Amino acid sequence: MAGIGELPVPGNAYTPVHNPVVVVGPQFVAPYPIDLVLSKKLFKLGEGHFDITDVNGTQIFTLRNKFFSIRDRRTLLDACGSPLLTLQQKILTAHRRWQVYRGESTNPKDLIFSAKKSSLIQFKTELNVFLAQNSSESAYDFKVKGSWLERSCTVHIGNSNTVIGQMHKKHSIQSIVFDKDTFAITAYPHVDYAFIVALVIILYEINEDRNGED
């Protein structure tokens, strides 16, 4: 049975994970690859939000900006408009750390994961991702690697070659025309696609930040 934006998988294009990757919730895990399109919508003030749809244009998530916030804050809404995640940049940190909480909370007890640049100076942005229970952060749980200029990145489990998701510039459906603020996202089989979407959003926010001082 077809799922959200399910496309044919050629050969062994996706290496199956040994165990399902569940970070946000099991309802966002499917036994087939999930293909989504993330596109930015502008408001009159120059701010905006992101729509996340399947390849048929059905709304899956919406990313809402928090206007006039002291620190950068975004809210990811589910298809019904209910707050699913709050993404907030931690101030006064050297590596541009973003923290992701459940619902509209920013209480430490509701922290799900955090992501930060792996080093201060990078030619290609890499993110180290830590689950909330990994308080020591002696090793990262996931890694985002890629080239933002090429609009391409992959998400890996820890320090391994196991890829669980990707952002890519081109899509197999030829009718979709991509611009610089539209991205194709694929979550691999048995991988939490809400988690992959949140990582791509953080990568976008870090690379769009023109400050460049932290």
Side-chain angles (χ1 to χ4, degrees):
M1 182 176 65
I4 300 174
E6 183 184 0
L7 298 176
V9 181
N12 295 318
Y14 301 101
T15 302
V17 294
H18 295 298
N19 298 299
V21 176
V22 182
V23 177
V24 179
Q27 69 271 37
F28 303 113
V29 177
Y32 40 76
I34 297 294
D35 290 274
L36 300 172
V37 177
L38 186 152
S39 56
K40 188 173 185 179
K41 307 296 183 182
L42 295 177
F43 291 139
K44 292 181 179 179
L45 295 177
E47 295 288 346
H49 68 276
F50 279 108
D51 286 339
I52 299 94
T53 66
D54 67 13
V55 295
N56 299 312
T58 303
Q59 194 82 24
I60 307 300
F61 303 114
T62 301
L63 184 74
R64 184 179 64 199
N65 286 358
K66 180 73 172 180
F67 291 103
F68 309 115
S69 175
I70 295 176
R71 57 178 90 179
D72 291 330
R73 184 181 298 178
R74 310 286 183 261
T75 303
L76 189 68
L77 311 176
D78 64 18
C80 298
S82 300
L84 178 65
L85 300 173
T86 293
L87 300 82
Q88 179 171 273
Q89 183 171 206
K90 188 174 183 180
I91 60 175
L92 302 178
T93 59
H95 290 78
R96 295 182 191 264
R97 178 185 290 264
W98 280 75
Q99 296 171 305
V100 180
Y101 301 85
R102 200 167 299 282
E104 290 187 289
S105 175
T106 54
N107 191 307
K109 69 179 180 62
D110 294 315
L111 179 68
I112 303 174
F113 70 91
S114 62
K116 68 176 184 177
K117 290 173 62 177
S118 59
S119 62
L120 286 174
I121 300 174
Q122 296 181 339
F123 295 104
K124 293 185 177 182
T125 301
E126 293 190 355
L127 303 181
N128 292 342
V129 183
F130 304 93
L131 297 176
Q133 57 266 34
N134 182 6
S135 57
S136 68
E137 297 189 356
S138 56
Y140 48 81
D141 298 290
F142 301 93
K143 181 87 166 185
V144 181
K145 302 178 181 180
S147 169
W148 188 252
L149 289 176
E150 297 173 3
R151 295 298 192 268
S152 176
C153 75
T154 52
V155 182
H156 299 251
I157 294 179
N159 186 25
S160 76
N161 292 323
T162 302
V163 177
I164 59 172
Q166 63 175 314
M167 176 188 75
H168 41 101
K169 183 168 58 175
K170 295 182 180 179
H171 205 277
S172 59
I173 292 184
Q174 300 300 320
S175 61
I176 298 178
V177 178
F178 291 96
D179 59 31
K180 69 182 183 67
D181 288 323
T182 302
F183 316 98
I185 300 172
T186 298
Y188 285 20
H190 305 289
V191 173
D192 187 329
Y193 58 88
F195 173 56
I196 301 299
V197 167
L199 290 177
V200 171
I201 290 168
I202 291 171
L203 189 66
Y204 175 89
E205 294 292 347
I206 287 175
N207 281 277
E208 284 296 293
D209 190 339
R210 303 296 190 229
N211 194 322
E213 294 179 356
D214 57 0

